Amino acid sequence: MGRIITVASGKGGNGKSSSIAVISATLAALRYRVAVIDADPNASFYSWHKLYEGPSIECTCEIRQEEIVDHAQAQAELYDLVFIDTAGFSNTTTAMAAGTADFVIIPIMPDRASAVEAMKMLRQVQSFGKASRREIPVACL
């Protein structure tokens, strides 16, 4: 079973989709089976993926809060790594994606607003872990 990695932040424009593009393409080049779920209504990763010509990366879109967990877990049955690209605002789909993750990455830019939002997301992920009685590893990058 593959690992689910959610990239999340309540702030838009801090590099969530760009980070996933670089990481997923690099891992695909290393022959990992990689899938990305674009859970952002703006579909930034999906738009990038349509132009991408590198090693195979499966890309699907799922923005529905009631479907994201099942979709991510189904993809993890087929792929080594499943990345979930979340929206740049707090919503239930982002919360569910973070709650089902094996690891959460919180991108942070060098400004106060990014730091504030990163700390909010960090506390949310810790709460999701408490609710499910497990630790969800998280890193701010």
Side-chain angles (χ1 to χ4, degrees):
M1 178 176 219
R3 299 291 181 188
I4 299 170
I5 301 166
T6 297
V7 180
S9 173
K11 184 176 183 312
N14 64 350
K16 291 181 297 296
S17 299
S18 298
S19 296
I20 289 177
V22 171
I23 294 168
S24 64
T26 300
L27 291 169
L30 294 171
R31 300 199 176 158
Y32 285 92
R33 293 172 301 144
V34 178
V36 175
I37 301 169
D38 196 332
D40 182 350
N42 292 323
S44 297
F45 182 87
Y46 180 77
S47 296
W48 172 84
H49 185 262
K50 288 193 299 188
L51 303 173
Y52 171 71
E53 296 181 357
S56 179
I57 298 170
E58 174 70 14
C59 180
T60 57
C61 295
E62 183 55 73
I63 62 171
R64 296 171 296 175
Q65 64 189 19
E66 64 276 3
E67 298 294 332
I68 190 69
V69 172
D70 289 341
H71 185 63
Q73 291 176 355
Q75 292 292 79
E77 293 290 332
L78 303 172
Y79 296 92
D80 300 318
L81 296 157
V82 178
F83 291 90
I84 304 176
D85 185 15
T86 63
F89 53 88
S90 295
N91 64 23
T92 308
T93 302
T94 297
M96 299 298 282
T100 197
D102 295 301
F103 190 79
V104 175
I105 297 172
I106 303 170
I108 183 169
M109 300 297 279
D111 62 80
R112 186 179 189 290
S114 291
V116 168
E117 286 301 320
M119 292 309 297
K120 285 182 188 176
M121 183 57 64
L122 178 62
R123 286 190 298 274
Q124 287 178 2
V125 173
Q126 289 169 339
S127 291
F128 303 148
K130 284 181 185 177
S132 62
R133 297 178 184 226
R134 68 184 180 98
E135 183 178 342
I136 302 173
V138 61
C140 295
L141 305 176

